Amino acid sequence: MSCLSWAATFYAERSQPARLEARISAFGLGLMASTIAKFAFWTYNPIWPVVHAQNGGWNKTGLALAILAVLRSTRRTASSGGEAPSPRAEKGSSALAGLGLAGLFFAMHSLLSDSSTMILWVWEGYPVRGPLAVPHGSYTIFAMGVGLLIGLFYTDFARSWTFFGTGSVAAAVLTTYSNWFGYYGALVLAAYIMALTPVLISSAVRHSPATTFGLGFLVYNILVLAHVWIVAYAFVPGGFLMREHTDYVMTVTMLCMGAGVFSAQA
């Protein structure tokens, strides 16, 4: 239901660039807020149902904020973007735009939903010679914020092939190197993923949401499955194809985002 809601929200504002940008900003800032909450609460979100007042949960506070958010986000507006045709003709490929969304959502989920994820990627063991989840997780969050600002205020640069190349090199550095050097790649990649968010979503809403968001979430689920398959046990059918190959998943993720960039430039 959440996926359908976001797809409808973005598509409904396709003819209102300012309101669409506000929705995308809320989407990106929401991810950052969740990441900050998990950074402050030992990697769990304090409003998750699995935590409660006795172990540090803020369920009542979260419920109150949720009610206020629903009331605010469902207010009637003077005009609805869903009632007006998009002022821009469809350009680019809807399939490529969908692949771009798949790569974007998967990267946000797997790499940025917790500030310690990419830090643990670059560890080699103890003693740790690279970054620590605390305090260096704040560096990841800061890089995410910088990236979102780039995507909102420097759109042409965010969708350029130069920036895509930079992000791809950063992904390779994160995947193949350890300790601080690998984490430097993680910081650049975090900024790139967030910078692409306004670009790829704005491009996707120019097409049918069934194609872009439908295909996007389908491929996203395949990427999630592939990401689990890299630790497949020996008895898992086909497990040998993906076992210990995070590099395969990262390559496909970047190619998907590159497809989205190609469509956004049309």
Side-chain angles (χ1 to χ4, degrees):
M1 293 305 298
S2 181
C3 293
L4 290 172
S5 175
W6 274 115
T9 297
F10 292 137
Y11 186 71
E13 306 292 5
R14 65 192 184 280
S15 63
Q16 304 288 339
R19 291 219 302 260
L20 176 61
E21 185 176 280
R23 301 292 193 182
I24 296 172
S25 299
F27 182 69
L29 290 172
L31 174 65
M32 291 183 60
S34 174
T35 304
I36 291 171
K38 293 170 75 174
F39 177 71
F41 286 85
W42 304 280
T43 72
Y44 66 81
N45 191 315
I47 64 172
W48 278 346
V50 295
V51 294
H52 47 77
Q54 286 70 32
N55 60 12
W58 289 16
N59 303 109
K60 294 179 181 178
T61 303
L63 182 60
L65 291 174
I67 293 172
L68 292 175
V70 168
L71 293 175
R72 172 65 181 84
S73 63
T74 56
R75 291 190 313 172
R76 287 185 175 274
T77 55
S79 62
S80 172
E83 298 171 354
S86 174
R88 303 177 63 180
E90 289 188 10
K91 294 181 180 180
S93 166
S94 58
L96 293 181
L99 290 176
L101 290 180
L104 175 70
F105 293 156
F106 175 73
M108 296 174 82
H109 184 183
S110 64
L111 301 177
L112 302 184
S113 60
D114 193 304
S115 59
S116 64
T117 299
M118 293 188 290
I119 290 177
L120 300 183
W121 271 34
V122 299
W123 281 9
E124 291 181 326
Y126 290 95
V128 178
R129 293 180 294 158
L132 299 172
V134 177
H136 302 122
S138 59
Y139 297 0
T140 304
I141 297 170
F142 178 77
M144 292 169 63
V146 171
L148 185 58
L149 290 176
I150 292 174
L152 292 173
F153 294 102
Y154 301 96
T155 308
D156 290 339
F157 175 69
R159 64 166 170 247
S160 68
W161 289 116
T162 301
F163 201 20
F164 174 75
T166 303
S168 297
V169 171
V173 170
L174 168 64
T175 307
T176 57
Y177 289 91
S178 303
N179 303 317
W180 278 106
F181 187 67
Y183 185 57
Y184 295 148
L187 294 177
V188 175
L189 181 60
Y192 180 68
I193 293 169
M194 293 301 292
L196 268 191
T197 304
V199 173
L200 296 188
I201 295 178
S202 297
S203 170
V205 298
R206 301 203 306 255
H207 306 277
S208 167
T211 302
T212 53
F213 288 92
L215 177 63
F217 283 120
L218 173 64
V219 176
Y220 157 81
N221 278 317
I222 295 173
L223 287 171
V224 171
L225 177 61
H227 210 218
V228 176
W229 223 257
I230 62 175
V231 292
Y233 288 108
F235 64 82
V236 176
F240 66 93
L241 296 173
M242 292 294 297
R243 189 179 300 119
E244 302 297 335
H245 278 297
T246 306
D247 52 336
Y248 290 0
V249 179
M250 182 64 83
T251 299
V252 173
T253 301
M254 295 307 297
L255 288 174
C256 284
M257 287 194 286
V261 171
F262 184 83
S263 179
Q265 286 189 347

